[in-house]
Amino acid sequence: NTNLGPQSMTILFDIVADRPYKFKVQLPYQVGLDDVTLNVEYQALPDGRLEIQQIVKNSTDPPEVLNFRCSLFVPGSRRQKLQVTKLGQGQDTKFYYLPNAQDVVGQELWLRLEQDGGRRVMNYRWQVGE
């Protein structure tokens, strides 16, 4: 359930030899194939709602036509669902709206896309206001 894209892991070592050694190592790694990407942008609107923009980019090679079931999870609210259908090479943008932007400041939201009839599952988690 991690986010797609570049990630980093920290490993802490505590070794006892002739004397104690403590150190940490940062290990970068890539989650996903990077042929389909998911980005999220959001903003509070003048009327007080929160607009969440879901951007899915298909860069598959050879080109594939993709369909996704999309779910936005907001703590204490009913999940919102959308569909991305027949996305060929290029980008698809969808919008979700929450009634009161101030109610979700500081909360973690989760966007999950599952490919219909395929192997891709994409997750994007973020904290509103970061």
Side-chain angles (χ1 to χ4, degrees), residues 12-29:
L12 302 173
F13 291 89
D14 189 359
I15 299 174
V16 178
D18 57 330
R19 64 172 211 225
Y21 294 92
K22 291 185 179 188
F23 60 93
K24 63 182 173 181
V25 176
Q26 288 279 87
L27 296 173
Y29 60 95

Side-chain angles (χ1 to χ4, degrees), residues 73-79 98 103-104 107-109:
F73 299 91
V74 178
S77 297
R78 206 169 146 190
R79 106 173 77 169
L98 300 179
D103 287 350
V104 293
Q107 291 191 31
E108 182 180 80
L109 305 186

Side-chain angles (χ1 to χ4, degrees), residues 35-36 58 60-66 87-89 115 119-120:
D35 58 352
V36 180
N58 180 356
T60 53
D61 185 24
E64 294 179 57
V65 176
L66 306 171
L87 174 60
Q89 291 277 322
Q115 183 181 4
R119 64 191 185 330
R120 292 178 180 89

